[in-house]
Each structure stands twice: as C-alpha cells, then as structure tokens.
C-alpha cells in the first residue's frame, strides 16, 4: 500500500501570492496532521483533523493559514498572502484509529520557498 | 505547555560503535507517549522507536533502545553497532494523548564515520 504523499514536492512563490499544499494520507487513516519544519528545527504542529473536522487548529500561526479535509481523506493546506517567513518544509502525517493509534506516518513534505 | 529539549545539536560516532542521544521533556501529564524519529536528507520522517509512559520497561527495536527515566523526564536513544545508514537527523517527540499532536525537539544531527 502507498504511504502518505504530498504534492508538490517543491513550491516557489512570490511574496503576497496564495498557495495550496496537498496531502494524500494512507487509505483508511482517519487522523491527519500538518506540521511546519523550518530550517534547522524540529517539526512544529499546525493542525489536526479527525475525519472531516479540525480537532485542534491551535498551531496555525495566524488567519492567513487555513486547512480543509472535506471528505475525510485528502487535505489541503492553504496559505494566503504569503510572506518570506512562511518558507519552510510542510509535513503531513496520518494515523489510524485502530491498533497503534498513536503512530503517525509522515509524507516527504513540501518545501515552500517564498521569494 | 509541553516542551522537548535535545541538548546535542550534532554528534558523530565511528561505524560499529555505540552512541547515545539525549532528550528531556517537560509535562504535567501522567500518561503520554515518547518517540524517536529519524529524518535522512530525503526529508521522510521515519519512526525509530516509541515508549508508552505507563510502561516501566524500556523499549528496544533491534539495534535501537531507549533509557526512559520518567521521574527525571528523560528519554535517551542508544544506537548500538552504528551503521553508515544511521547518518541522519534524529528528533525526540512527545505526545500527550493517543492521536494527539506531537511536540518535537530541535533535533540532533548524527554522523556515522567509516
């Protein structure tokens, strides 16, 4: 079975533009997480979905960041009016609600560069 | 708020030798989970080992083992018989509840030298 996939793998955008980052979780995984990893740092939690709803969005830095998961599978992280400080690797992870529910499987990330 | 601290930004070890990576955390929770993840240059985060706080026995996975000291809030990773493929960033992570978000340390860059 396929793992977590993220597209695009790299995204370069100009300051002020809007971007969308996509995450395809492992089939059947009900929980989905977004993290942001700045250069030289550990991943930082952004938002967590259980099914279609955001169970915890306390990590979103401001209202320019928004994420959706309309059908409980694919999720899109949306960033409006991008700033140079948004440049980072955005990681997605998913986990199952059966068995080892606390094990998160990560995708390869999307490297976002804002110029 | 839970915090995770990795005090060793970089470490190196000779191939076939043993190395220990340190991690401390701060929490008021009594039940939680701890993890070590490996991140090679490909960026893919790979779970190395996990520990449930309610278990006293230290987790082991082949060459990887942990020293979990709950009272001291310490969770170190020991890699035995180091291999060149172990070269990567290693992150310690804390999860307060099953299915919740994880808090990561800043990472330790490990280099295994031939």
């Amino acid at each position: 079975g396929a793992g977590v996939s993220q597209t695009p793998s790299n995204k370069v955008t100009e300051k002020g533009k809007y971007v969308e980052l996509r995450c395809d979780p492992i089939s059947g995984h009900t929980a989905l997480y977004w993290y942001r990893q700045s250069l030289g740092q550990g991943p930082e939690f952004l938002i967590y979905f259980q099914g279609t709803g955001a169970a915890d969005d306390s990590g979103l830095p401001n209202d320019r960041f928004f994420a959706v998961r309309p059908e409980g599978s694919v999720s899109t992280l949306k960033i409006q009016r991008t700033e140079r400080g948004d440049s980072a690797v955005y990681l997605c992870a998913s986990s199952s609600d059966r068995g080892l529910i606390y094990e998160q499987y990560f995708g390869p990330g999307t490297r976002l560069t804002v110029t | 708020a839970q915090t995770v601290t990795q005090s060793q930004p970089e470490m190196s070890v000779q191939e076939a030798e043993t190395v220990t990576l340190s991690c401390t955390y701060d929490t008021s929770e009594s039940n939680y989970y701890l993890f070590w993840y490996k991140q090679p240059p490909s960026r893919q985060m790979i779970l190395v080992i996990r520990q449930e706080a309610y278990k006293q026995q230290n987790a082991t996975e082949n060459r990887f083992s942990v020293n979990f000291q709950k009272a001291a809030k310490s969770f170190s990773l020991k890699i035995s018989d180091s291999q060149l493929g172990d070269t990567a960033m290693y992150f310690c992570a804390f999860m307060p509840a099953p299915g919740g978000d994880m808090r990561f340390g800043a990472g330790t860059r490990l280099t295994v030298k031939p």
Side-chain angles (χ1 to χ4, degrees):
Chain A
V4 178
S5 62
Q6 293 185 246
T7 54
S9 57
N10 289 283
K11 176 70 176 178
V12 180
T13 191
E14 293 180 349
K15 179 176 178 293
K17 298 290 188 182
Y18 168 83
V19 297
E20 290 189 352
L21 311 179
R22 176 186 169 110
C23 173
D24 280 87
I26 292 173
S27 178
H29 278 193
T30 56
L32 186 145
Y33 309 80
W34 283 99
Y35 295 86
R36 178 169 69 175
Q37 187 175 20
S38 301
L39 190 64
Q41 299 295 319
E44 174 190 21
F45 169 74
L46 295 177
I47 187 170
Y48 153 48
F49 288 90
Q50 184 63 251
T52 60
D56 183 353
D57 63 357
S58 62
L60 295 176
N62 51 60
D63 61 6
R64 296 187 298 105
F65 288 75
F66 189 70
V68 295
R69 195 185 185 202
E71 297 178 357
S73 178
V74 171
S75 176
T76 304
L77 178 66
K78 308 181 180 194
I79 310 174
Q80 299 177 321
R81 305 183 303 280
T82 52
E83 300 177 357
R84 292 195 180 87
D86 299 335
S87 296
V89 173
Y90 289 82
L91 296 169
C92 176
S94 70
S95 67
S96 172
D97 62 356
R98 294 182 175 82
L100 300 175
I101 63 172
Y102 45 82
E103 181 164 348
Q104 296 183 18
Y105 296 84
F106 282 82
T110 294
R111 182 180 298 281
L112 175 65
T113 303
V114 182
T115 62
Chain B
Q2 294 89 5
T3 58
V4 179
T5 302
Q6 293 180 247
S7 59
Q8 305 151 314
E10 294 189 25
M11 292 195 71
S12 64
V13 63
Q14 291 297 131
E15 193 175 9
E17 297 197 342
T18 295
V19 64
T20 299
L21 309 183
S22 301
C23 173
T24 58
Y25 58 94
D26 186 26
T27 184
S28 58
E29 304 278 346
S30 59
N31 193 22
Y32 49 86
Y33 303 86
L34 296 163
F35 305 84
W36 279 98
Y37 277 88
K38 168 185 177 181
Q39 187 178 43
S42 66
R43 295 200 309 243
Q44 188 87 43
M45 296 283 279
I46 302 164
L47 179 65
V48 174
I49 198 165
R50 61 178 168 265
Q51 174 82 41
E52 293 90 340
Y54 61 85
K55 291 187 178 179
Q56 293 187 340
Q57 186 172 6
N58 289 323
T60 62
E61 286 287 342
N62 301 313
R63 298 184 294 108
F64 300 88
S65 61
V66 298
N67 183 3
F68 173 48
Q69 302 289 328
K70 190 172 184 179
K73 296 179 182 175
S74 170
F75 182 62
S76 60
L77 174 69
K78 184 170 84 171
I79 306 174
S80 304
D81 186 26
S82 297
Q83 300 176 359
L84 296 178
D86 295 334
T87 292
M89 284 290 292
Y90 286 81
F91 292 98
C92 178
F94 171 98
M95 179 190 292
D101 61 281
M102 284 194 291
R103 310 287 168 167
F104 288 82
T108 296
R109 182 177 303 279
L110 176 68
T111 302
V112 180
K113 299 179 178 179

